[in-house]
Amino acid sequence: MKTKIDIATNPFGIHPKGIVFQTVMSSFDNKSKLSLLDFGCRNGDFLYEIDKTGLFEFTYGVDLDKSAIDIAKLRGTKSLFEHIKKNHKFDSVYENWFDIVTVIGVIEHIHDQDSVIVELARLLKPKGLMIVAVPGRHVFSFLDMGNWKFKFPKIHKFFVRFSMSESEYQYRYVSNEYGCIGDIEAEKAYHEHFSLDSLTTLLNKTQKFEILEVDGTGFFYRILVNIQYFLPKVLKGVLARLIEWDFKWGNQAELVFTLRKID
Ligand SMILES: C[S@@+](CC[C@H](N)C(=O)[O-])C[C@H]1O[C@@H](n2cnc3c(N)ncnc32)[C@H](O)[C@@H]1O
């Protein structure tokens, strides 16, 4: 299955968030009374676009990173944003509450993934959807910049101190008050990549979901995104065309699963 992204209208374009956005928008005919939780929402950019559609009644974003949640709150959307701690248990009022839970680029940051998946299942209504996006494990996985801080700590430290500051480095990576190294749980200490099998096994383990759709983006995606990151603005557009082309035929670099909660 390959989600067709309408680049002209999709606010995230060729990106896992683009697939998730498209999947959310095509999932229910009537969205006017739907509620959506974005788990690990960071600065709320996904919910900002979801709210702009005006189709959802209640949207809620949570994240471990308080500074990101503070930015999300400043966006002035109708979403509710909340800073949570690791292994957070949500208030029982949210049990069987949500029609959709999105988890975009988050599961791979978490140490106790089973407990989080069970907790998110608790929040979904029966037959509610969970959409999970993670990095795919394939030949270019080693290029993931999210792992540079673990593989090349000295280079990473130099880069962060150069581009930000020593205090920012200490705050984010050394004495992170949320128990993370950057945005990854300290007990995890690596940015995990999943094969189709390993993600299927993880999501089936809890027996809370059936897998409805398996999707993915690109093959050279990771290498192209890395190159694009370092290019001057005028050349970023050229890489964007290549990423678009890569997306059309590859499906290994990023995986997106759509799951339905079993009654
Ligand atoms: C790569 S970012 C993705 C953010 C956002 N979903 C997006 O697609 O832009 C990963 C986010 O997961 C958050 N995170 C990591 N562990 C978490 C946890 N246990 N509970 C909630 N958020 C978590 C991090 O703080 C970070 O904001």
Side-chain angles (χ1 to χ4, degrees), residues 212-232:
L212 294 186
E213 267 175 32
V214 174
D215 211 331
T217 65
F219 182 75
F220 295 105
Y221 182 76
R222 210 155 273 289
I223 192 167
L224 293 173
V225 167
N226 280 6
I227 296 170
Q228 192 186 41
Y229 182 83
F230 290 106
L231 283 181

Side-chain angles (χ1 to χ4, degrees), residues 21 36 44-60 76-81:
F21 185 85
L36 184 151
D45 62 342
F46 184 73
L47 288 183
Y48 178 73
E49 295 298 339
I50 287 286
D51 279 343
K52 266 194 349 201
T53 66
L55 297 170
F56 293 82
E57 186 169 56
F58 177 61
T59 53
Y60 181 28
T77 65
K78 71 178 179 110
S79 293
L80 174 67
F81 288 105

Side-chain angles (χ1 to χ4, degrees), residues 17 39-40 42 63-65 84 104-106 109-110 183 185:
K17 261 186 278 196
F39 184 80
R42 194 156 56 188
D63 201 287
L64 282 189
D65 182 344
I84 59 166
I104 311 169
V106 184
H109 296 232
I110 292 176
D183 58 5
E185 291 188 0

Side-chain angles (χ1 to χ4, degrees), residues 189-220:
Y190 77 108
H191 191 231
E192 186 173 0
H193 288 219
F194 291 86
S195 65
L196 283 177
D197 280 353
S198 65
L199 186 58
T200 304
T201 304
L202 172 71
L203 296 170
N204 279 339
K205 217 184 327 173
T206 60
Q207 302 189 335
K208 301 281 180 194
F209 293 99
E210 60 174 313
I211 296 172
L212 294 186
E213 267 175 32
V214 174
D215 211 331
T217 65
F219 182 75
F220 295 105

Side-chain angles (χ1 to χ4, degrees), residues 152-165:
F152 315 110
K154 287 192 177 148
I155 297 174
H156 174 258
K157 185 175 180 178
F158 172 80
F159 184 73
V160 176
R161 285 156 102 195
F162 178 74
S163 57
M164 295 180 196
S165 65

